[in-house]
Amino acid sequence: MQEFLEEAKKSSRTIANLSTAVKNRVLNEMADALMNHCDFIISNNEKDMSQAIMYNLDEALKDRLLLTPSRVEDMANAIRQIASQSEPVGRILDGWVTTTGLNIQKVAIPIGVIGIIYESRPNVTSDTAALCFKSGNVCVLKGGKEAEHSNKAIALVLKEVLSKNKLPEQAISLLPDSSREGVAKLIKEDKYVDLIVPRGGESLIRFVSENSSIPVIKHDKGICHIYVDKDAAPAKIIDIAINAKCQRPSACNAMETLLVHENIAPYILTGLEDAFVERGTILKGCSETLKYINAIPVTLEDYDTEYLANILNIRIVKNIDEAITHIQRHGSGHSEAILSENYTTVNKFLAEVDAACVYANASTRFTDGGAFGLGAEVGISTNKLHSRGPMGINDLTTFKYKIYGQGQVRTK
């Protein structure tokens, strides 16, 4: 493990100092290589899908695991969009001249070696590798066992492009020991690894956060809400609610609980019920909700559950304050939305709800690096420090101070 990470650390010096032109050329070649090797990638993904069926993995996990030609094309397009982003390294974040004549610049630099631990989605391999490369970082990737063949195939394609350009292949590496013990070793190697980014299930996040001696940026679960205010526009409610829950229920930015103001509940719940039932959604409701629609009684535990499936909680609340209290108690700090045409109410929600992304009159499904125009993201950070929300290339930099003097010495 140490020898492997030492090579990764060595390669970080080369990657950190690549020019923008070289990085962009290599990234576009990586995108082309994914398309040229699409059949190879999908054939390896089929091995993972076969095992997923054999071990009876749930439908949400299989959906995240599946690669198709269009999904491989999406991966390639994400890399091209990352290449098109402005250069993140070398940005002057701030600058000033002190009273002693020192010219101080605060300059963005790569973080170094980033360990990324993730589950299920093979596209994370190409997305995070490209994001790290663009931001001058080396990545050590640890995907889930369920995607082992897919991840190896994608990494091999990307590493071949590095080799072709006479760049160190260690810049994009899969952790050689993918066991839990291997992860436990990785997160203790603070001599070689500068940052750990875990994204996945609650148990993985907790294990890494509690045991890592390396700084961690968590990409935790998404328990997302939409609050339908009494002043919501009826024409928008059903479309946004259906999109947030049903467009891709297995995504972390999918809605898990719909909060409805008591004044509007009698007029919209039956229409919402029809729309959700048509799409096969299992509805769970509070005692007030059950007066208007057929649903399974909801429990307190349900409000704290990330379903990652086509299941929705519905709760009627008295006002916006009760909605915000519910969100703060049960939300995960990911994405929250309000539907309202009342400017004051909207601003109160956006100001008081503590989450990485807060929306007014839009679906929570937009919390995504691609949808934000970032090309892709390492994940959706629920941390409050360094990075929050979709973590793109600028979030994969830190900074240093460059100080220019003309012979000054300190006298006091």
Side-chain angles (χ1 to χ4, degrees):
M1 175 72 74
Q2 288 185 343
E3 290 177 3
F4 164 77
L5 293 176
E6 188 172 4
E7 289 301 312
K9 190 72 171 179
K10 285 180 182 176
S11 69
S12 69
R13 290 192 287 272
T14 300
I15 303 304
N17 291 291
L18 293 177
S19 69
T20 303
V22 169
K23 288 191 288 187
N24 290 346
R25 189 191 74 242
V26 171
L27 285 168
N28 282 304
E29 288 180 14
M30 287 179 178
D32 293 340
L34 288 180
M35 294 304 299
N36 293 337
H37 293 87
C38 182
D39 291 343
F40 168 68
I41 293 169
I42 288 177
S43 67
N44 278 277
N45 180 250
E46 287 170 352
K47 297 176 185 177
D48 293 326
M49 291 302 298
S50 296
Q51 290 185 345
I53 294 169
M54 184 188 308
Y55 292 113
N56 197 31
L57 298 185
D58 64 51
E59 291 303 314
L61 194 61
K62 285 189 282 190
D63 176 62
R64 292 197 292 268
L65 179 60
L66 176 66
L67 289 179
T68 62
S70 66
R71 288 189 177 183
V72 173
E73 185 176 6
D74 289 341
M75 289 159 55
N77 287 336
I79 293 180
R80 293 189 182 100
Q81 193 170 357
I82 291 166
S84 72
Q85 299 287 312
S86 298
E87 174 60 53
V89 178
R91 290 173 297 132
I92 297 177
L93 306 175
D94 202 353
W96 63 95
V97 177
T98 69
T99 56
T100 56
L102 293 176
N103 185 339
I104 299 178
Q105 292 182 354
K106 183 179 181 181
V107 182
I109 62 169
I111 290 172
V113 178
I114 302 176
I116 303 169
I117 305 167
Y118 53 102
E119 298 172 342
S120 305
R121 291 189 178 94
N123 67 288
V124 175
T125 301
S126 59
D127 287 352
T128 55
L131 286 163
C132 287
F133 185 79
K134 174 76 176 190
S135 53
N137 295 291
V138 166
C139 61
V140 175
L141 307 174
K142 195 282 174 189
K145 289 183 179 178
E146 68 281 355
E148 181 178 4
H149 296 93
S150 306
N151 291 334
K152 285 182 176 178
I154 294 166
L156 179 61
V157 171
L158 301 181
K159 288 165 80 73
E160 284 181 351
V161 175
L162 292 175
S163 178
K164 174 187 167 186
N165 283 277
K166 296 182 171 52
L167 294 173
E169 292 185 24
Q170 295 88 347
I172 300 172
S173 298
L174 295 179
L175 190 68
D177 182 356
S178 61
S179 66
R180 188 179 179 90
E181 292 73 23
V183 172
K185 290 178 183 177
L186 172 68
I187 61 179
K188 296 293 186 184
E189 295 289 350
D190 52 0
K191 181 178 179 181
Y192 304 107
V193 181
D194 301 289
L195 177 68
I196 294 289
V197 180
R199 50 179 292 179
E202 190 172 359
S203 61
L204 168 67
I205 302 291
R206 185 185 304 113
F207 174 78
V208 173
S209 299
E210 292 176 354
N211 292 279
S212 179
S213 61
I214 303 167
V216 174
I217 295 181
K218 295 187 295 184
H219 293 248
D220 214 338
K221 61 186 177 182
I223 298 180
C224 306
H225 303 76
I226 288 182
Y227 165 57
V228 182
D229 183 54
K230 62 182 177 65
D231 296 316
K236 298 175 183 177
I237 295 171
I238 290 180
D239 286 346
I240 292 175
I242 290 297
N243 179 264
K245 178 73 261 183
C246 303
Q247 197 241 359
R248 195 169 184 184
S250 63
C252 63
N253 53 22
M255 172 178 60
E256 305 293 11
T257 298
L258 181 68
L259 303 170
V260 181
H261 193 289
E262 62 181 8
N263 289 8
I264 202 171
Y267 309 105
I268 67 161
L269 281 181
T270 53
L272 282 167
E273 178 188 19
D274 291 343
F276 279 118
V277 168
E278 184 180 337
R279 290 160 179 82
T281 308
I282 297 171
L283 298 176
K284 297 184 177 185
C286 68
S287 58
E288 286 299 307
T289 299
L290 299 181
K291 294 177 181 179
Y292 300 103
I293 65 172
N294 293 315
I296 301 168
V298 71
T299 68
L300 276 177
E301 184 180 359
D302 291 332
Y303 289 135
D304 293 318
T305 301
E306 183 185 28
Y307 291 119
L308 300 175
N310 198 9
I311 304 169
L312 177 67
N313 307 318
I314 301 178
R315 181 187 172 190
I316 295 176
V317 294
K318 293 180 180 179
N319 50 43
I320 186 174
D321 291 310
E322 189 172 346
I324 292 174
T325 298
H326 177 101
I327 290 169
Q328 302 302 73
R329 180 173 297 145
H330 300 286
S332 60
H334 194 293
S335 302
E336 312 292 355
I338 180 174
L339 308 187
S340 179
E341 300 302 309
N342 186 306
Y343 180 81
T344 302
T345 303
V346 164
N347 282 338
K348 175 182 175 68
F349 185 93
L350 299 182
E352 295 185 17
V353 170
D354 185 15
C357 300
V358 286
Y359 292 86
N361 299 309
S363 169
T364 57
R365 286 283 290 119
F366 284 103
T367 302
D368 173 81
F372 274 30
L374 304 176
E377 86 275 326
V378 174
I380 311 297
S381 171
T382 52
N383 274 29
K384 290 190 178 183
L385 298 179
H386 181 73
S387 174
R388 202 176 194 199
M391 189 174 179
I393 52 175
N394 289 334
D395 296 302
L396 292 173
T397 62
T398 182
F399 59 85
K400 68 167 66 169
Y401 290 101
K402 292 183 178 180
I403 302 97
Y404 298 88
Q406 298 88 32
Q408 290 94 327
V409 294
R410 185 167 179 172
T411 58
K412 63 179 179 177

